[in-house]
Every structure is written in structure tokens, then in C-alpha cells.
Amino acid sequence: MLLGDVAHLRTGDKGETSQISVIAYDPADFALIARTVTTKRVAAHLAHLPIRTATRYELPALGALNFVLEGALAGGVTRSLALDAHGKTLGAQLLDLPLEDAA
């Protein structure tokens, strides 16, 4: 099972920081998401990025986690030479995170 099977996301970026909010489709799946989608696993899944710090905020009433990835956008969206290295692309990559490996 992949993260995208049980959750969708919203993203944003400011400067070189990307924010990815992972939101459970079904509130019953929030515990699984909270247990398996850790900052360590997110950083490892996006290891090709120059992430300096990854911070996770839990919003259980919304069934969501918000990840703030400082440095992920390599100097900022407008300064990066990478093609479409914005939050939406990073979020799409994160939806491919396997959940079985961490259970």
C-alpha cells in the first residue's frame, strides 16, 4: 500500500522551504499515517533534495500531518535550475511512499 492509497495532499512553497500536508481520506487511517509517515522516512524518500531540516506537525482533528522541509527547493523556486521542483511535484513523489515497510 502506498501513501497515495489512503491520503491526498496540499502543498506550498516559500523561498527554499516546501510544505507538504498529508491528509487522510478516511479519519480512521490517520493513526496509520501518523505512525508510518515520519520525518526520517520523508527525508529518506526525498533524499535527492538538499533538505536541511524536516519538521512534522500533527493535526489529528483534521486527520493531517504537515511537513516543513527547509532547504528542499535549493535556494528557492525562482532561483532553482531544476525543472518544476515545486511543492506539488514533491508532494506527488511523497504519495509513492510505501506504508508497509514501516508498519
Side-chain angles (χ1 to χ4, degrees), residues 70-83:
E70 295 181 32
L73 300 178
V77 172
T78 58
R79 295 181 60 201
S80 176
L81 297 177
L83 182 61

Side-chain angles (χ1 to χ4, degrees), residues 16-20 39 42-43 46 49-55 67-73 90 94:
E16 62 181 12
T17 300
S18 179
Q19 290 194 46
I20 302 173
T39 54
V42 168
L46 301 174
L49 300 174
I51 297 171
R52 285 191 313 277
T53 60
T55 306
F67 292 89
V68 178
L69 309 174
E70 295 181 32
L73 300 178
L90 301 181
L94 189 58

Side-chain angles (χ1 to χ4, degrees), residues 26-100:
D26 181 341
D29 290 325
F30 177 70
L32 170 67
I33 294 168
R35 185 176 66 250
T36 59
V37 185
T38 64
T39 54
K40 183 177 178 179
R41 291 197 71 224
V42 168
H45 191 71
L46 301 174
H48 61 285
L49 300 174
I51 297 171
R52 285 191 313 277
T53 60
T55 306
R56 181 177 103 162
Y57 298 94
E58 294 187 20
L59 299 110
L62 299 176
L65 302 174
N66 184 47
F67 292 89
V68 178
L69 309 174
E70 295 181 32
L73 300 178
V77 172
T78 58
R79 295 181 60 201
S80 176
L81 297 177
L83 182 61
D84 198 21
H86 310 295
K88 288 176 182 52
T89 301
L90 301 181
Q93 291 175 21
L94 189 58
L95 289 175
D96 288 334
L97 180 74
L99 297 180
E100 301 89 23

